């Protein structure tokens, strides 16, 4: 990968790879946070509070990481929250298990509905692939994330174009109806906060950033990179409103309506890869935190620990997946969004900005003192 890609685009693509399975991979998340507020209301929620909040908070996060060198979430929150850093770890572990439960449920459902394979085949296949990537480490994960993200964009663009050609009239009518239900802005804000809760999980991808301008541009681009596929998906879904609101996995419903078995299989394969991306990113972040503990003790983390952590987390999440994808997203995601507002977003945009200004003032004072000497 070229240097400019690593500095400006890689953070956004890694973030998009981590959030997609729990953010909009199945389409159920877009129904819960956006489409139930009407086609136009949901679109406004995605474009305004969600995308803007992701960009602004990512800009602040990447600059904070660049200045203080906090490339894993443990050191990041130690610098941001001091002794209260462990509060994020509790929330992050809950988020990891919940999202992995959604991913596991979706993986089993996809293979069952598409290929007629037993539910457990999808779960086991997901576990094995994630364990392999986690074992390979950061370099392999970055390459897989960036490459699969381009493939994902291509498939989503084809999906969007096909949906427009088949259901353009109903999509236009749905968006043209102007239906905006009360609560769209707050729901979009909550969705943005929920996605931002995983920013500390992808800080390893910001190691290539060296200047403030690079941090700010990379953060600003993270919002559009992460949300454009979701917007394309949402527009395609809006043509089936309101019937699609009750579908557990709206993606499958749309693919069946398109009527192409070949494209359905291709889309599901790519989507299965996004489940792997998200699970790998979350578990890799957890492993990086463990590695940080070993490094602080001047020791090396045994290689076997990485896949072992992946197996343990996925097995725990599989127990949660029994609650079903609709309940997991509606109840679990809703509660987590409020928790991370107070654990991460507000502290970063207040205390974090204060610490950055204090560091900048100290640096200017040191330069002035050096000049006087």
């Amino acid at each position: 990968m070229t240097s400019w890609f690593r500095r400006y685009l890689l953070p956004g693509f890694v973030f998009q790879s981590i959030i997609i399975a729990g953010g909009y991979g199945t389409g159920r998340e877009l129904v819960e946070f956006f489409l139930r507020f009407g086609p136009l209301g949901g679109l406004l929620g995605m474009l305004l509070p969600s995308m803007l909040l992701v960009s602004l908070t990512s800009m602040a996060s990447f600059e904070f990481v660049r200045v203080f060198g906090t490339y894993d979430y443990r050191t990041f929150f130690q610098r941001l929250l001091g002794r209260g850093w462990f509060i994020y770890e509790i929330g992050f572990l809950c988020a990891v298990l919940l999202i992995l439960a959604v991913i596991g449920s979706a993986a089993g459902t996809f293979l069952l509905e598409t290929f007629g394979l037993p539910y457990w085949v999808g779960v086991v296949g997901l576990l094995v692939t994630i364990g392999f990537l986690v074992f390979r480490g950061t370099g392999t994960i970055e390459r897989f994330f960036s490459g699969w993200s381009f493939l994902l964009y291509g498939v989503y663009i084809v999906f969007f174009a096909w949906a427009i050609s088949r259901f353009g009239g109903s999509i236009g009518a749905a968006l043209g109806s102007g239906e905006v239900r009360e609560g769209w802005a707050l729901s979009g804000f909550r969705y943005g906060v929920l996605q931002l809760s995983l920013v500390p999980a992808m800080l390893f991808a910001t190691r290539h950033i060296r200047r403030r301008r690079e941090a700010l541009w990379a953060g600003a681009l993270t919002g559009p990179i992460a949300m454009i596929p979701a917007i394309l998906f949402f527009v395609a879904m809006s043509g089936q409103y309101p019937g699609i609101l009750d579908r557990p996995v709206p993606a499958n419903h749309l693919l069946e309506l398109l009527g192409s078995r070949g494209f359905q299989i291709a889309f599901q394969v790519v989507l299965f890869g996004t489940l792997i991306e998200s699970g790998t990113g979350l578990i890799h972040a957890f492993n990086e935190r463990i590695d940080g503990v070993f490094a602080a003790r001047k020791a090396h983390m045994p290689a076997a620990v990485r896949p072992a952590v992946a197996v343990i987390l996925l097995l725990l999440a599989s127990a949660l997946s029994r609650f079903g994808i609709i309940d997991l997203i509606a109840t679990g995601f809703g509660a987590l969004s409020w928790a991370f507002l107070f654990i991460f977003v507000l502290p970063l945009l207040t205390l974090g900005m204060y610490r950055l200004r204090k560091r900048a003032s100290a640096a200017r004072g040191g330069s002035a003192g050096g000049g006087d000497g």
Side-chain angles (χ1 to χ4, degrees):
M1 290 181 287
T2 59
S3 178
W4 67 267
F5 180 88
R6 290 179 183 271
R7 288 176 287 141
Y8 293 105
L9 299 179
L10 180 63
F13 280 117
V14 171
F15 177 68
Q16 181 256 350
S17 298
I18 290 176
I19 71 167
I20 182 171
Y24 50 84
T26 67
R28 185 64 220 174
E29 305 82 359
L30 299 183
V31 166
E32 182 64 33
F33 285 94
F34 300 110
L35 193 54
R36 67 188 182 95
F37 296 97
L40 183 57
L43 188 60
L44 289 173
M46 298 178 80
L47 291 172
L48 297 178
S50 288
M51 185 184 294
L52 286 177
L53 184 63
V54 169
S55 288
L56 290 173
T57 308
S58 296
M59 293 167 70
S61 299
F62 296 172
E63 176 62 4
F64 191 90
V65 171
R66 183 192 71 85
V67 170
F68 294 108
T70 53
Y71 295 105
D72 66 85
Y73 72 79
R74 177 175 178 265
T75 56
F76 180 92
F77 281 97
Q78 282 179 332
R79 176 68 71 168
L80 178 63
L81 300 179
R83 294 181 178 179
W85 70 270
F86 67 91
I87 298 174
Y88 174 82
E89 181 148 56
I90 296 171
F92 180 69
L93 184 57
C94 292
V96 167
L97 292 175
L98 182 60
I99 294 172
L100 288 176
V102 171
I103 292 170
S105 178
T109 302
F110 284 155
L111 294 190
L112 176 64
E113 294 184 356
T114 305
F115 303 106
L117 296 174
Y119 182 88
W120 64 267
V121 172
V123 177
V124 172
L126 188 76
L127 185 151
V128 171
T129 309
I130 289 175
F132 170 76
L133 288 173
V134 168
F135 179 78
R136 296 288 296 177
T138 300
T140 299
I141 291 172
E142 286 184 349
R143 289 191 294 272
F144 178 76
F145 279 12
S146 57
W148 203 265
S149 292
F150 281 114
L151 181 61
L152 172 76
Y153 261 79
V155 170
Y156 265 62
I157 290 171
V158 172
F159 181 52
F160 172 75
W162 201 339
I164 290 292
S165 67
R166 288 287 302 276
F167 315 119
S170 56
I171 291 173
L175 295 174
S177 68
E179 183 176 353
V180 179
R181 296 188 179 182
E182 186 178 353
W184 65 269
L186 179 59
S187 186
F189 177 81
R190 289 172 55 219
Y191 180 86
V193 170
L194 182 62
Q195 307 316 310
L196 285 168
S197 68
L198 299 182
V199 164
M202 49 73 57
L203 299 179
F204 63 90
T206 65
R207 295 177 185 272
H208 312 287
I209 294 174
R210 293 290 180 265
R211 298 181 178 85
R212 176 183 296 177
R213 180 182 64 184
E214 296 170 1
L216 297 181
W217 270 110
L221 291 170
T222 294
I225 289 173
M227 292 299 293
I228 285 174
I231 292 169
L232 296 179
F233 196 178
F234 178 87
V235 172
M237 289 171 54
S238 65
Q240 308 305 317
Y241 176 84
I244 202 169
L245 296 179
D246 296 325
R247 296 283 177 171
V249 184
N252 280 348
H253 178 61
L254 284 177
L255 290 168
E256 290 171 0
L257 291 177
L258 290 176
S260 171
R261 179 64 174 171
F263 183 71
Q264 182 181 14
I265 292 174
F267 187 92
Q268 297 287 25
V269 168
V270 172
L271 198 54
F272 194 83
T274 67
L275 303 182
I276 294 170
E277 284 185 309
S278 293
T280 301
L282 293 171
I283 294 171
H284 183 65
F286 198 77
N287 274 326
E288 289 293 285
R289 178 260 186 269
I290 297 173
D291 186 51
V293 174
F294 278 93
R297 298 174 180 176
K298 301 188 184 303
H300 294 286
M301 185 171 74
V305 171
R306 292 184 179 272
V309 168
V311 170
I312 292 170
L313 290 176
L314 286 167
L315 289 176
L316 290 173
S318 67
L320 283 176
S321 66
R322 299 174 184 235
F323 288 98
I325 193 169
I326 293 179
D327 290 338
L328 285 170
I329 291 172
T331 305
F333 281 10
L336 282 176
S337 64
W338 290 117
F340 282 110
L341 174 64
F342 295 100
I343 293 173
F344 172 47
V345 176
L346 289 180
L348 175 68
L349 297 180
T350 54
L351 184 59
M353 294 301 95
Y354 167 76
R355 295 191 188 283
L356 281 174
R357 287 196 296 270
K358 186 176 179 180
R359 171 61 71 91
S361 298
R364 287 194 295 270
S367 298
D372 292 339

